Amino acid sequence: MDAKGISRAVISRLPRYYRYLGELMEDGVERISSNELSEKMRVTASQIRQDLNNFGGFGQQGYGYNVQYLYTEIGKILGLDHVHHMIILGAGNLGQALANYVQFEKRGFKVVGLFDVNPVLAGVSVRGIEIKMISDLEEFLKNNSVQIAALTLPKNKAAEMADLLVANNIKAIWNFAHLDLTLPENVIVENVHLSESLMRLSYNLNRYVNEHQQ
Amino acid sequence: MDAKGISRAVISRLPRYYRYLGELMEDGVERISSNELSEKMRVTASQIRQDLNNFGGFGQQGYGYNVQYLYTEIGKILGLDHVHHMIILGAGNLGQALANYVQFEKRGFKVVGLFDVNPVLAGVSVRGIEIKMISDLEEFLKNNSVQIAALTLPKNKAAEMADLLVANNIKAIWNFAHLDLTLPENVIVENVHLSESLMRLSYNLNRYVNEHQQ
DNA sequence: TAGATTGTTAATCGATTAACAATC
DNA sequence: TAGATTGTTAATCGATTAACAATC
């Protein structure tokens, strides 16, 4: 399983394969060919085979792919075969939404802490997790194994907090703040910029309207 | 401003340019060259010039780009120069988080309605917007001009609701549900699949750990 | 064995980068 | 005018698709 030099594009598609395979499993489908899957997913069969062969030969000539096996293997590639401990910094609506989203836990992402600066929130519980003050964060990280931190803080706090997280050995940041974090390159940053997503939507909407006005 | 055939990659970068230009404006910077901007943003100057020239010549030889002017122009390209009316379907944590996010309104995305199926939420207000029942949705859409609907419902309701929205003339869906909506091709769909984002993070985290174990 | 379908190489397409003439 | 920097064409690089030999 040589994971070097696999393009971002391929990696981005893996979770979608995983989702479709999960649905096929639920539907009791045992095997599928790249061709059938390509019709379902509206991508080329060639792309599916190319993508998968970056990681290994999961299929069998004349048969196709075993759904359950492929699902499991992609799960392993995505690291879903072990539990990750996650904390959430910022217990506003978005932070609480993430904490409440039980589906994550099913995939092995366990929320072990929830932090905020607002003293009003101190002691409030979300899904059994008590909100702590950010002043307790360093102490918490020293006593607990945490791999992932979700950053749902406003921009002005986020950069500073990211540095604190890295200094305390956090290896991956799920960044919801609207800024680009500059961190050591061994720290994984995955951005979710909602406003940028909304602007893309707006661009396409706008374009459509313009084209049909003329 | 010929907007035909501009690649998804280019469009995806526009909001980031917009963000950086906004920050430069706040810092009182009047002009910037593609070279200076390329250093700030860590992309090539060539890419910046190519991207912008898809939409027009916004710069001036020997001078660079006027920050304020370019910011305004990109805003127009992104459709941020007029107000969009948005409703949110699903008033759970995520829906409420979106409704609360005042920054969207600043960019011209005005939340005009918030809907849920849960009768417990009926009449509850979020930032002055009263949560309505989804049974009232069709009526609402007949009496109000709405362009965008954010879908923060669970998967099983989302497909059905998307169809209802389209039947009532909604032109763009901001989809947070974990499924691919199949809708007429003139309907804009912008997906935010948080679990897929988290899996990409997990992939990279996992890969990093594996590489350094060997 | 014959048929089906993968894994993989080769061809094509598109996006990014480099180079430079145009021009402010 | 000389210097700077764009707009744009050409070269390169990478990703996607097509084709087909290998093989179950």
Side-chain angles (χ1 to χ4, degrees):
Chain A
M1 203 190 290
D2 177 27
K4 286 236 177 59
I6 289 169
S7 79
R8 240 188 123 62
V10 173
I11 295 156
S12 278
R13 285 192 291 267
L14 291 179
R16 188 155 176 268
Y17 292 136
Y18 190 73
R19 174 156 54 87
Y20 272 83
L21 289 163
E23 282 168 14
L24 286 166
M25 268 173 62
E26 277 176 24
D27 295 347
V29 178
E30 219 170 68
R31 50 172 280 223
I32 194 158
S33 69
S34 56
N35 234 307
E36 292 170 284
L37 190 58
S38 89
E39 277 171 36
K40 260 195 179 304
M41 295 186 65
R42 297 170 173 275
V43 296
T44 64
S46 211
Q47 182 165 76
I48 294 174
R49 296 203 298 277
Q50 283 279 27
D51 283 353
L52 297 177
N53 276 89
N54 280 301
F55 303 97
F58 301 123
Q60 199 165 70
Q61 283 96 333
Y63 170 87
Y65 299 88
N66 178 287
V67 172
Q68 168 118 47
Y69 173 69
L70 187 55
Y71 177 83
T72 310
E73 288 303 311
I74 295 179
K76 282 186 206 165
I77 294 165
L78 290 171
L80 307 179
D81 56 335
H82 31 81
V83 173
H84 295 99
H85 287 184
M86 177 160 79
I87 56 171
I88 298 170
L89 264 62
N93 285 102
L94 185 55
Q96 293 198 23
L98 296 180
N100 267 308
Y101 196 61
V102 289
Q103 222 66 14
F104 294 149
E105 200 140 325
K106 226 183 66 186
R107 299 266 179 267
F109 302 96
K110 190 169 161 56
V111 178
V112 296
L114 192 48
F115 294 84
D116 207 291
V117 279
N118 186 351
V120 170
L121 291 169
V124 174
S125 275
V126 179
R127 214 158 57 81
I129 308 153
E130 196 182 280
I131 299 175
K132 297 180 186 65
M133 290 294 95
I134 278 187
S135 49
D136 300 332
L137 177 60
E138 258 192 293
E139 183 69 15
F140 183 88
L141 290 174
K142 288 201 169 72
N143 299 323
N144 294 274
S145 156
V146 179
Q147 292 85 49
I148 303 171
L151 262 191
T152 63
L153 292 162
K155 205 171 173 169
N156 54 357
K157 300 257 177 221
E160 179 194 349
M161 281 303 130
D163 289 338
L164 181 70
L165 288 165
V166 170
N168 284 279
N169 220 30
I170 293 287
K171 289 284 171 260
I173 294 182
W174 199 18
N175 178 39
F176 288 77
H178 300 142
L179 84 170
D180 298 321
L181 300 170
T182 35
L183 298 172
E185 60 168 329
N186 63 338
V187 178
I188 312 298
V189 176
E190 169 76 21
N191 291 309
V192 179
H193 289 330
L194 293 181
S195 60
E196 297 191 1
S197 171
L198 191 50
M199 288 183 201
R200 279 193 288 277
L201 177 145
S202 168
Y203 170 86
N204 286 306
L205 184 56
N206 194 46
R207 184 179 58 96
Y208 179 80
V209 171
N210 284 343
E211 272 168 24
H212 290 252
Q213 250 171 6
Q214 293 154 12
Chain B
M1 201 189 290
D2 177 29
K4 286 236 177 58
I6 288 168
S7 80
R8 242 190 122 62
V10 172
I11 296 157
S12 279
R13 285 191 291 267
L14 290 180
R16 189 156 176 267
Y17 292 136
Y18 190 72
R19 173 156 55 88
Y20 273 83
L21 289 164
E23 282 168 14
L24 285 166
M25 265 172 63
E26 276 175 27
D27 295 348
V29 178
E30 220 172 68
R31 50 172 281 221
I32 194 158
S33 70
S34 56
N35 233 308
E36 291 169 285
L37 190 57
S38 91
E39 275 171 37
K40 260 195 179 305
M41 295 186 64
R42 297 171 174 273
V43 296
T44 63
S46 212
Q47 181 164 77
I48 294 174
R49 295 203 300 275
Q50 284 278 27
D51 283 353
L52 296 178
N53 277 91
N54 281 301
F55 302 96
F58 301 123
Q60 198 165 72
Q61 284 96 331
Y63 172 85
Y65 299 87
N66 178 287
V67 172
Q68 168 119 43
Y69 173 69
L70 188 55
Y71 177 82
T72 308
E73 287 304 311
I74 296 179
K76 282 186 205 166
I77 293 165
L78 291 171
L80 307 180
D81 56 337
H82 31 80
V83 172
H84 295 98
H85 287 184
M86 176 159 80
I87 57 170
I88 299 170
L89 264 61
N93 284 104
L94 185 53
Q96 293 198 23
L98 296 180
N100 267 307
Y101 196 60
V102 289
Q103 223 66 14
F104 293 149
E105 201 139 327
K106 225 184 65 185
R107 297 267 179 265
F109 302 96
K110 188 169 164 55
V111 178
V112 295
L114 193 48
F115 293 85
D116 207 291
V117 281
N118 187 351
V120 171
L121 292 170
V124 173
S125 276
V126 179
R127 215 159 55 85
I129 306 153
E130 196 181 278
I131 299 176
K132 298 180 186 66
M133 291 294 95
I134 277 187
S135 48
D136 299 333
L137 178 60
E138 258 192 293
E139 183 68 14
F140 183 88
L141 290 175
K142 287 197 171 74
N143 299 323
N144 293 274
S145 154
V146 180
Q147 292 85 50
I148 303 172
L151 262 189
T152 63
L153 292 161
K155 206 171 172 166
N156 53 357
K157 301 259 177 219
E160 180 193 349
M161 280 304 128
D163 290 337
L164 182 69
L165 288 165
V166 170
N168 285 278
N169 221 29
I170 292 287
K171 290 284 171 260
I173 294 180
W174 199 18
N175 178 41
F176 289 77
H178 299 141
L179 84 168
D180 297 321
L181 300 172
T182 36
L183 299 172
E185 62 168 329
N186 63 337
V187 178
I188 311 299
V189 177
E190 170 75 23
N191 292 309
V192 179
H193 290 329
L194 292 180
S195 60
E196 297 191 2
S197 171
L198 191 50
M199 288 184 200
R200 281 194 287 278
L201 177 146
S202 169
Y203 169 86
N204 286 305
L205 185 55
N206 195 46
R207 184 179 59 94
Y208 180 80
V209 170
N210 283 343
E211 272 168 23
H212 291 251
Q213 249 170 8
Q214 293 153 15

